[in-house]
Amino acid sequence: IGKNSVIGSNSIIESNVIIGNECVIGSNVIIKNSILGKMVVIQDGCKIGQKGFGFIPIKGKNIKFPHIGIVKIEDFVEIASNCTIDRGSIDNTTIGKNTYLDNQVHVAHNVKIGKNCMIAGQVGFAGSTNIGNNVSIGGQAGLSGHLKIGHNVKIGGGSGVVKDIADNQIVMGYPAVPFKDFLKKNKNE
């Protein structure tokens, strides 16, 4: 635990955790299998570094896939209340420098979120999706697994992203489409 870091009441820091300098960990937080950079803020109720949802389907039985990766949270990140960030299965789950996650965001195993991203409340990321830098995502959007979201992308609230998105795009809807197409479609309805 780094110099000048503060940990709130009833929080649990389990094995395999490194917390950088000047971090603030709220109350009722559980952190395991994680590395936090400096000046990271983890608000109340977050669960970071637990096993994700991964199964190998075998006839008559599902076997839980092992998770041996970690969570890496870079400098100046803020994770708001009641977020869940799963450890990586084989790779790591990463939150980039200066990124903000609002309340109740779920980040599945192996997800990589870039730098300077703004993620609104109740967004869900399925496993192994890569998010570029400077991405903004509106509340209650969902992103399917194994996608590549480019840099400077804006995803409207309530959108369902099921395909890769190139750099500098604005999308909205379910499934998410370019914003101009979304407006045209909804104008005619």
Side-chain angles (χ1 to χ4, degrees), residues 76-155:
F76 312 112
V77 168
E78 184 165 351
I79 312 291
S81 296
N82 297 314
C83 290
T84 305
I85 303 174
D86 296 341
R87 73 187 290 190
S89 56
I90 295 173
D91 202 355
N92 295 326
T93 302
T94 306
I95 311 293
K97 185 177 183 178
N98 199 42
T99 286
Y100 180 82
L101 274 61
D102 195 10
N103 298 328
Q104 298 178 335
V105 171
H106 173 72
V107 180
H109 59 239
N110 306 331
V111 168
K112 304 214 178 319
I113 299 176
K115 298 174 182 174
N116 302 311
C117 294
M118 301 290 289
I119 314 299
Q122 298 182 340
V123 168
F125 296 93
S128 300
T129 287
N130 289 318
I131 309 298
N133 298 327
N134 305 306
V135 172
S136 297
I137 303 176
Q140 294 186 329
L143 288 82
S144 294
H146 303 273
L147 297 179
K148 183 176 187 314
I149 308 304
H151 302 300
N152 309 307
V153 168
K154 293 184 185 335
I155 299 171

Side-chain angles (χ1 to χ4, degrees), residues 12 26 31 42 52 61 74 110 134 139 176:
I12 300 170
I31 304 175
I42 308 291
K61 184 177 184 182
E74 296 182 359
N110 306 331
N134 305 306

Side-chain angles (χ1 to χ4, degrees), residues 180-189:
K180 289 181 182 178
D181 295 344
F182 175 81
L183 290 176
K184 285 179 192 174
K185 179 182 174 194
N186 287 304
K187 182 179 180 184
N188 296 331
E189 289 182 5

